Amino acid sequence: MIRSELVQKLCSDFPDLTQREVEKVVGALFDSITGQLAESGRVELRGFGAFSTRSRDARVGRNPRTGEPVEVSAKRVPYFKPGKEMRERLNLGEVNAE
């Protein structure tokens, strides 16, 4: 599901809201999560999961086109850990199939 599909789904679930209002809400939610992560924070949504960042050390990579070594600087990357409820719902189909 992409962002526009999420907006359309929410518009159909909440017909009293306009598409612009839903887009603002979705944008505000994503901006809040991104802002908190940028401040080295953690965002936890109970039953859904937790967003955090992890540090990656600097390393020597490889240019795939030429094969020559390339310096890759240290950086922080987003990380998502699903919550217990989400894991259970995702694996529900596997349990029923057995």
Side-chain angles (χ1 to χ4, degrees):
M1 175 179 280
I2 60 174
R3 185 179 183 140
S4 61
E5 292 173 338
L6 175 61
V7 169
Q8 289 300 320
K9 172 79 169 115
L10 291 173
C11 283
S12 65
D13 289 349
F14 300 97
D16 54 323
L17 296 175
T18 66
Q19 183 171 346
R20 268 209 172 108
E21 291 171 330
V22 172
E23 287 173 353
K24 284 183 182 180
V25 169
V26 170
L29 175 68
F30 290 158
D31 289 345
S32 295
I33 291 171
T34 303
Q36 186 65 29
L37 292 176
E39 296 175 7
S40 300
R42 174 183 158 105
V43 177
E44 182 176 337
L45 304 172
R46 297 286 165 120
F48 182 73
F51 295 92
S52 61
T53 58
R54 292 194 172 174
S55 297
R56 289 209 179 143
D57 295 331
R59 62 184 175 85
V60 176
R62 183 183 65 83
N63 182 332
R65 183 172 291 177
T66 63
E68 67 186 43
V70 177
E71 291 290 325
V72 179
S73 59
K75 58 186 162 187
R76 291 186 348 206
V77 295
Y79 176 74
F80 175 74
K81 181 178 180 186
K84 180 181 178 185
E85 185 177 325
M86 178 186 278
R87 285 192 313 269
E88 289 173 352
R89 288 183 67 183
L90 290 174
N91 292 313
L92 190 64
E94 293 176 8
V95 173
N96 290 338
E98 293 176 355

